[in-house]
Structures are given as structure tokens and as C-alpha cells.
């Protein structure tokens, strides 16, 4: 009797252990019955299944890395470069993922085909200098977008594709460096020519403006001078009308001021007009 009870308990334990499965917060699960997907479990918890008939496959919810081996790519200059890239991705649809690529290894192989194909197509449009500098972000955005569309049919969501390293094959390295140097020199020459042309344009414009400003200043000064002379004549006329003798005296002093300096010695005759004026005033 005791052996029977122990056997029954053992059977209960075995059946219980094979009829339950647990899904954690970082996993999705697909229940497979007789080789066919039966249901998908996306929420964490404890679930039941048919013992010995149902099988459970687990798939990571977290972000995963795809690190490809470096490969050669032909770029626009018809030269070969070696690209070392990686991608971040996750399993977006566990059932579709299972039906298309089965597991992580299958997904890595699929990603290898998709990403390499898109890298080869996109980078073939650009030169080496564009790939390593100005166009790199655009290239990566285009590769990510196109790879994402293709991978979606395998239940894979590609977050981004990035380049870790770009290398030149040794046999092409010197030739490409020389070509890049020639392109840079040509570009610098073009910029210098444009700079000189712009400088001439600015200088010419500045000279023209200078001429206009000086002419305007001269015209204004002549105008002010004319107004000053007219005002002076008006003052002189007014002074003459008020006191002709004093006016004559002032004009005489002005004349002497113009022809004499502080070293000039003057001997006045008692008959001279200046002497008479000085004596009178």
C-alpha cells in the first residue's frame, strides 16, 4: 500500500512539472503541439500545457547585438574597402521569428545577408571620403531603414546599423590616399580662387562706396563753406554799415595778420593809415 501511494505521488509530481511552464519578464514563449505552433505567450507568469505533447520555445525580449565579420565592399571609385559593422535588433514577432529563422543563430545569418546586401548597395553610391566623413550618417540611416523593412518579414526589428571600422586593402591604400589628396588640393584651389574673386568684388565695392562718400563729403564741405562765406559777408556788411572806420581798421589788421608772423618787425610811418588808426582807437 505504501509503495502504491509513493508511486501515485511520483506520478502527480511528474505530471505537474511537465504540465506547467514559467515565462519571465524578459521572454516571450511559443507553445508548440506536435510540431505546430499552438499559442504565443507574451506576458510573464505561470502557464499550463499538455504534458509530453506540448513543447515550449522561449525568445528573448531584450535588445540584441549582431556583430558581423569584416567584409569587402566595392565603392563608387571602383575600389575595395573592408567594412566592420554591427547592428542592434530585437525579436518583434516570436511566432513569425520561429517560423522563418527558428532561433538566434538563424536570425544572425539572416541579418548577415540583409545588412551586408544593403551596405553593399548603399555604399556603392559614394566615394571613400564621403563614407568616412560627410555622408556617413546618411548612409547608415538609409541602410537601417531598408534593412528594417526586409527583416520585418522574419519577425525581426532592426533598431540601427553602425560602422565600427573602415579599412583599405593594402594594395589600394596608397592609390586611394593619393586620389583623396589630389581631390582635396583641387577643392582647396577652387576655394582659394573663389575667395580671391570675392575679395576683388568686396574691394571694388568698397572703393566705389569710398568715392561716393568722399564726393558727398566734398560737396557738403563746399556747401558749408559757401554758407560760411555768405554769413561772413553778411557780418562784414553789417559791421561796415554800423561803423565804417572800425570795419576798415579790422580789415587792415586782418591783412597784416596774413602777411606778418611773430618775427616780423614793422616800422610805421606817422603818415600810414595803420598808425593813424592805432592812434585814433
Amino acid at each position: 500500500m505504501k509503495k502504491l501511494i509513493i508511486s501515485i505521488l511520483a506520478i502527480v509530481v511528474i505530471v505537474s512539472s511537465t504540465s506547467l511552464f514559467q515565462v519571465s519578464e524578459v521572454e516571450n514563449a511559443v507553445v508548440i503541439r506536435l510540431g505546430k505552433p499552438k499559442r504565443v505567450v507574451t506576458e510573464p507568469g505561470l502557464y499550463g500545457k499538455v504534458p509530453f505533447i506540448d513543447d515550449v520555445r522561449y525568445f528573448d525580449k531584450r535588445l540584441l547585438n549582431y556583430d558581423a565579420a569584416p567584409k569587402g565592399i566595392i565603392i563608387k571609385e571602383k575600389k575595395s574597402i573592408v567594412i566592420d559593422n554591427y547592428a542592434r535588433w530585437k525579436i518583434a514577432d516570436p511566432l513569425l521569428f520561429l517560423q522563418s529563422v527558428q532561433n538566434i543563430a538563424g536570425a544572425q545569418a539572416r541579418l548577415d545577408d540583409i545588412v551586408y546586401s544593403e551596405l553593399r548597395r548603399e555604399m556603392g553610391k559614394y566615394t571613400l571620403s564621403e563614407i568616412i566623413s560627410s555622408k556617413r550618417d546618411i548612409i547608415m540611416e538609409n541602410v537601417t531603414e531598408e534593412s528594417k523593412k526586409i527583416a520585418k518579414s522574419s519577425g525581426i526589428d532592426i533598431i540601427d546599423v553602425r560602422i565600427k571600422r573602415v579599412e583599405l586593402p593594402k594594395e589600394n591604400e596608397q592609390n586611394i590616399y593619393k586620389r583623396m589628396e589630389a581631390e582635396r588640393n583641387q577643392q582647396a584651389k577652387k576655394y582659394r580662387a573663389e575667395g580671391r574673386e570675392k575679395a576683388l568684388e568686396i574691394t571694388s565695392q568698397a572703393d566705389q562706396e569710398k568715392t561716393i562718400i568722399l564726393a558727398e563729403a566734398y560737396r557738403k564741405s563746399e556747401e558749408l563753406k559757401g554758407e560760411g562765406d555768405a554769413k561772413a559777408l553778411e557780418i562784414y556788411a553789417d559791421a561796415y554799415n554800423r561803423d565804417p572806420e572800425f570795419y576798415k581798421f579790422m580789415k587792415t589788421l586782418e591783412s597784416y595778420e596774413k602777411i606778418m608772423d611773430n618775427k616780423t618787425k614793422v616800422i610805421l610811418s606817422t603818415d600810414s593809415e595803420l598808425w593813424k588808426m592805432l592812434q585814433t582807437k
Side-chain angles (χ1 to χ4, degrees), residues 9 36 59 72 76 81-82 150 176 187 189 207 232 235 238 247-248 250 258 262 264:
L9 289 174
K36 295 183 179 179
F59 300 95
K76 186 177 180 180
I81 61 173
V82 177
I150 300 171
I176 290 183
Q187 198 169 27
K189 187 177 180 181
D207 289 342
I235 294 171
D238 183 61
Y247 176 79
K248 185 178 179 182
M250 290 301 297
K258 291 178 181 177
N262 55 0
T264 303

Side-chain angles (χ1 to χ4, degrees), residues 128-146:
L128 179 62
S129 60
E130 290 172 333
I131 291 171
I132 62 178
S133 57
S134 60
K135 302 294 185 183
R136 183 164 178 164
D137 290 342
I138 296 175
I139 294 171
M140 289 299 96
E141 287 175 8
N142 292 339
V143 171
T144 299
E145 190 62 28
E146 294 303 317

Side-chain angles (χ1 to χ4, degrees), residues 40-268:
V40 178
V41 180
T42 58
E43 296 298 326
L46 189 63
Y47 296 90
K49 65 183 181 69
V50 178
F52 308 113
I53 295 179
D54 287 351
D55 185 22
V56 180
R57 297 281 300 274
Y58 295 95
F59 300 95
D60 205 324
K61 283 183 178 178
R62 294 170 294 184
L63 203 61
L64 303 170
N65 287 326
Y66 152 72
D67 193 355
K71 291 182 178 178
I73 286 179
I74 305 297
I75 59 177
K76 186 177 180 180
E77 299 150 302
K78 307 302 179 189
K79 299 292 182 182
S80 176
I81 61 173
V82 177
I83 294 292
D84 189 1
N85 67 284
Y86 71 96
R88 296 186 302 162
W89 64 283
K90 62 182 179 180
I91 301 171
D93 186 332
L95 179 57
L96 189 57
F97 183 84
L98 175 64
Q99 292 172 330
S100 58
V101 296
Q102 295 289 320
N103 50 35
I104 297 296
Q108 296 280 7
R110 179 67 176 140
L111 286 171
D112 204 34
D113 292 339
I114 295 172
V115 174
Y116 178 62
S117 174
E118 290 306 314
L119 277 171
R120 189 174 52 192
R121 183 184 61 79
E122 187 67 21
M123 297 180 79
K125 303 175 184 175
Y126 299 95
T127 64
L128 179 62
S129 60
E130 290 172 333
I131 291 171
I132 62 178
S133 57
S134 60
K135 302 294 185 183
R136 183 164 178 164
D137 290 342
I138 296 175
I139 294 171
M140 289 299 96
E141 287 175 8
N142 292 339
V143 171
T144 299
E145 190 62 28
E146 294 303 317
S147 299
K148 191 181 187 76
K149 291 177 185 175
I150 300 171
K152 188 177 180 180
S153 62
S154 298
I156 295 172
D157 182 18
I158 294 178
I159 307 303
D160 57 9
V161 178
R162 289 287 178 267
I163 293 176
K164 288 193 296 185
R165 189 161 45 95
V166 177
E167 290 184 349
L168 297 171
K170 294 299 181 184
E171 62 273 18
N172 295 333
E173 192 171 346
Q174 290 303 320
N175 290 335
I176 290 183
Y177 282 153
K178 287 180 181 177
R179 177 175 294 185
M180 290 176 66
E181 183 180 4
E183 289 176 353
R184 290 290 185 272
N185 288 334
Q186 187 176 4
Q187 198 169 27
K189 187 177 180 181
K190 177 186 173 187
Y191 288 152
R192 281 195 289 268
E194 291 175 350
R196 284 193 292 270
E197 183 179 351
K198 192 67 177 176
L200 287 174
E201 181 182 340
I202 293 172
T203 303
S204 175
Q205 185 176 358
D207 289 342
Q208 186 178 0
E209 291 176 356
K210 175 186 173 183
T211 302
I212 294 173
I213 291 171
L214 289 176
E216 179 64 18
Y218 178 75
R219 186 193 63 78
K220 190 69 177 176
S221 68
E222 289 298 308
E223 183 179 321
L224 293 174
K225 184 179 177 183
E227 291 176 358
D229 291 342
K231 191 68 178 177
L233 288 175
E234 183 182 343
I235 294 171
Y236 287 150
D238 183 61
Y240 181 78
N241 290 331
R242 291 187 182 187
D243 189 344
E245 289 299 323
F246 181 70
Y247 176 79
K248 185 178 179 182
F249 172 71
M250 290 301 297
K251 295 299 291 181
T252 303
L253 287 180
E254 286 179 4
S255 300
Y256 280 111
E257 186 179 12
K258 291 178 181 177
I259 63 175
M260 294 186 298
D261 56 23
N262 55 0
K263 295 181 180 179
T264 303
K265 293 182 180 180
V266 179
I267 300 174
L268 297 176

